[in-house]
Amino acid sequence: MSVPAKTLDNLSTKQRALLERRLKQKHDQESLPLKSDDENLVLAKSIGSVDELLSKFYGRFPWPWPAMKFDYLDDPYFETVMVNQDLGDWTHQVLPGNPQIWVAGCGTNQAIHTALRFRNTRVVGSDISSKSLDICAQNAKAIGLTNLELKEESINDVPYQNRFDYVACTGVIHHNADPQSTLEKLVASLKPGGVLELMVYNRFHRLITSSFQKAVRIFTEEKGAVNFEAEFSLAQKIVNSLTVKDSLERAFIQYMDFSESDFADLLIQPVEHSYTVESLAMLANSCDLELVAPCISPYAKNLATFMWNLIFEDAELQEQYDALPESRRWQVTNLLLNEKSPLLWFYFQRKDSGRRRKSEKQMCDEFLETAFERTSSTQRSYIREEDGSYRLSPKPVPYPLVLPDSSVRKIFEAVDGQSTMKEVLARLGITPTFAAVNQIRINLTTTAFPYLKAVQTNSR
Ligand SMILES: C[S@@+](CC[C@H](N)C(=O)[O-])C[C@H]1O[C@@H](n2cnc3c(N)ncnc32)[C@H](O)[C@@H]1O
């Protein structure tokens, strides 16, 4: 790209320097994918330079803030069963009993939560921020965790090939210079039959934050190297002097604790890509992955919306919507609910997994033919003290902690470990439409709502 000499002549020295820097930047970017105007990609020059920025950024603002408590269940296989059910696997086999797990871009807490969720296996947690890993290691030690291995490394540089049964990577690849290339590394690390839990930003949740980040960057762009300290105080000044709270609320700010890390993570992030269901499915496809099912994380559960399927009053419209191919249906939800649509948090599998992907409809059909029993476990927690240490709660509490939603409670109470779900629903006079059955499935048999466990045919 060149600029006519005449145009350059009309510019002041400062403007000319700025334009020249822009052109150089553009040149450096030419090997990276097309940029969109909605995302914060000003600093996305190269994979290495963004990795360096991220290591500094998350070194200064480790994320998230320390957990108030870390929970674990006495049944070490409880979570494995539930992840399998999330995937529509009523035989509990896709994820093996002792899966090899990688938490890629683990931050300060996620690797600990994961190692406690899957206590009978070893978990690897990697991050590019040594500070985040230090905090994580310190807390892991404080609670006596022995099944966690932490590594300071960039996903973009790891050598892992066909190694893990389960890879969790949430809130990470969209901060990298080239998410496709980062995702390729995650795919390579999966065993062919492995499962990837991936969360990337929903475009409609990030329009405001990405705009804010870009506005802050305009104030600082002429100062050369990025200075997060200066950006942080500038962002604070803007928030305090403008009535931006309303618009920030549309960007999920109401769910933040407004710690320094949340504030920085939201408003001065170095790089922020974002997606819709459609562009995420395309990204996955380009990395030989297929989208398996939505994942409702404990975090997502607390948000206003987490259901990807809409319920319409008009029966004909419902029928038309339900008849759409799954990712098209979820894209409609994404577009219609816009900033109120769920987080883009999904399970994926390799295209060469050898396992036929099940649609939600197939999951529901099989769900109807399956018998269930109520789950029962107990939970204990390590609770954070004022001095930063963690104390084990004195008594285990029954788990799940609360009863299922009233809309599905009668079904929960009616299962007997023998009758299929279809028989249970018939006894209760519930018509098994796809929309109704899918709601029941999600509200009773998933990680987010772990109330029922499929009874294995051979043990019945
Ligand atoms: C928003 S935090 C999310 C942390 C964690 N995944 C969670 O959900 O709690 C993003 C984390 O990803 C890490 N990160 C970003 N890019 C990375 C990369 N290429 N390799 C390793 N870690 C990375 C950052 O250092 C940061 O700790």
Side-chain angles (χ1 to χ4, degrees):
M1 176 175 167
S2 64
V3 176
K6 202 159 160 267
T7 314
L8 278 177
D9 286 348
N10 293 337
L11 299 175
S12 69
T13 322
K14 208 165 161 192
Q15 283 171 322
R16 183 192 280 233
L18 186 61
L19 183 59
E20 275 167 0
R21 200 158 65 230
R22 275 281 158 68
L23 293 176
K24 163 139 192 355
Q25 207 173 342
K26 165 117 187 63
H27 172 79
D28 289 344
Q29 285 174 350
E30 245 142 36
S31 58
L32 292 177
L34 206 65
K35 305 288 184 229
S36 127
D37 212 21
D38 301 331
E39 304 163 284
N40 169 15
L41 306 178
V42 185
L43 301 176
K45 289 188 197 163
S46 67
I47 292 173
S49 67
V50 172
D51 276 9
E52 236 172 78
L53 280 174
L54 287 170
S55 142
K56 280 195 196 123
F57 179 76
Y58 284 105
R60 170 64 182 85
F61 304 108
W63 199 92
W65 214 235
M68 293 314 293
K69 64 187 186 80
F70 291 110
D71 304 321
Y72 71 91
L73 301 179
D74 68 341
D75 175 357
Y77 295 108
F78 191 99
E79 293 283 340
T80 315
V81 165
M82 287 303 150
V83 171
N84 278 317
Q85 294 193 167
D86 286 349
L87 303 166
D89 169 20
W90 309 111
T91 61
H92 309 147
Q93 286 173 356
V94 170
L95 196 63
N98 296 313
Q100 296 292 307
I101 299 181
W102 182 29
V103 187
C106 59
T108 54
N109 293 340
Q110 192 184 17
I112 298 182
H113 288 303
T114 310
L116 285 170
R117 274 180 80 193
F118 302 95
R119 278 185 298 130
N120 272 14
T121 192
R122 269 195 91 64
V123 170
V124 176
S126 307
D127 205 281
I128 206 169
S129 151
S130 57
K131 182 73 192 281
S132 300
L133 292 171
D134 284 349
I135 296 171
C136 190
Q138 219 176 316
N139 290 337
K141 191 166 168 219
I143 65 171
L145 208 57
T146 53
N147 62 330
L148 174 62
E149 183 184 355
L150 293 174
K151 295 187 163 198
E152 185 178 341
E153 59 193 1
S154 168
I155 301 165
N156 296 312
D157 300 328
V158 294
Y160 308 133
Q161 295 282 338
N162 297 334
R163 168 142 174 212
F164 298 103
D165 298 291
Y166 192 80
V167 174
C169 185
T170 59
V172 179
I173 68 167
H174 47 229
H175 295 311
N176 283 218
D178 182 4
Q180 179 176 346
S181 150
T182 313
L183 187 55
E184 276 162 5
K185 286 289 197 179
L186 298 176
V187 179
S189 78
L190 274 180
K191 289 182 186 168
V195 175
L196 169 66
E197 178 192 338
L198 182 76
M199 188 281 270
V200 294
Y201 283 148
N202 180 329
R203 173 70 52 87
F204 303 120
H205 298 172
R206 307 311 292 189
L207 290 172
I208 293 165
T209 53
S210 291
S211 306
F212 191 103
Q213 293 156 16
K214 286 198 287 189
V216 170
R217 213 132 281 148
I218 289 174
F219 280 96
T220 56
E221 66 191 349
E222 287 188 49
K223 302 223 164 73
V226 186
N227 178 339
F228 292 123
E229 222 56 67
E231 291 198 345
F232 187 80
S233 59
L234 189 83
Q236 276 184 318
K237 275 192 208 161
I238 299 175
V239 169
N240 292 334
S241 33
L242 264 184
T243 37
V244 285
K245 197 169 166 284
D246 274 1
S247 63
L248 286 177
E249 273 185 1
R250 287 171 43 215
F252 281 70
I253 200 104
Q254 64 272 39
Y255 299 106
M256 301 291 160
D257 61 16
F258 249 94
S259 59
E260 271 198 353
S261 3
D262 262 352
F263 186 90
D265 198 67
L266 209 62
L267 299 177
I268 59 165
Q269 191 60 248
V271 169
E272 191 165 283
H273 294 258
S274 55
Y275 299 86
T276 62
V277 170
E278 184 169 80
S279 53
L280 173 60
M282 280 163 69
L283 174 71
N285 187 46
S286 71
C287 297
D288 290 328
L289 276 177
E290 53 188 1
L291 205 160
V292 178
C295 169
I296 307 173
S297 70
Y299 172 72
K301 195 176 142 181
N302 297 324
L303 300 179
T305 17
F306 51 78
M307 290 294 205
W308 274 105
N309 293 297
L310 296 173
I311 306 282
F312 294 98
E313 275 177 20
D314 186 298
E316 200 184 327
L317 176 62
Q318 184 75 52
E319 214 172 289
Q320 271 177 295
Y321 171 80
D322 289 345
L324 289 170
E326 218 146 68
S327 64
R328 302 308 288 153
R329 193 167 74 229
W330 295 334
Q331 176 70 356
V332 169
T333 310
N334 205 175
L335 294 168
L336 292 181
L337 294 187
N338 217 269
E339 73 213 35
K340 298 242 158 57
S341 55
L343 295 170
L344 291 183
W345 205 313
F346 289 97
Y347 292 109
F348 293 83
Q349 66 184 21
R350 280 172 48 163
K351 280 190 200 157
D352 63 353
S353 68
R355 218 171 27 239
R356 210 167 45 83
R357 174 190 184 276
K358 284 182 198 168
S359 66
E360 277 190 321
K361 288 214 178 74
Q362 284 167 308
M363 288 186 195
C364 286
D365 288 345
E366 292 178 14
F367 167 77
L368 286 172
E369 299 304 327
T370 304
F372 289 89
E373 61 189 6
R374 287 184 283 281
T375 56
S376 159
S377 187
T378 54
Q379 179 182 282
R380 294 193 80 177
S381 306
Y382 292 98
I383 299 161
R384 192 175 164 84
E385 303 279 86
E386 282 204 352
D387 64 1
S389 61
Y390 284 88
R391 163 182 61 86
L392 185 60
S393 59
K395 271 200 311 199
V397 290
Y399 189 87
L401 302 176
V402 291
L403 283 171
D405 189 71
S406 55
S407 62
V408 290
R409 203 167 301 158
K410 266 202 259 160
I411 303 161
F412 168 74
E413 282 159 1
V415 299
D416 55 13
Q418 303 278 326
S419 317
T420 63
M421 185 53 75
K422 196 183 346 181
E423 290 162 349
V424 171
L425 297 186
R427 276 207 294 271
L428 294 171
I430 298 170
T431 313
T433 60
F434 164 66
V437 174
N438 206 32
Q439 290 263 5
I440 297 166
R441 176 185 73 81
I442 292 171
N443 276 295
L444 284 176
T445 67
T446 55
T447 305
F449 305 100
Y451 294 102
L452 298 180
K453 175 182 169 182
V455 176
Q456 302 310 304
T457 324
N458 54 11
S459 64
R460 255 190 270 160

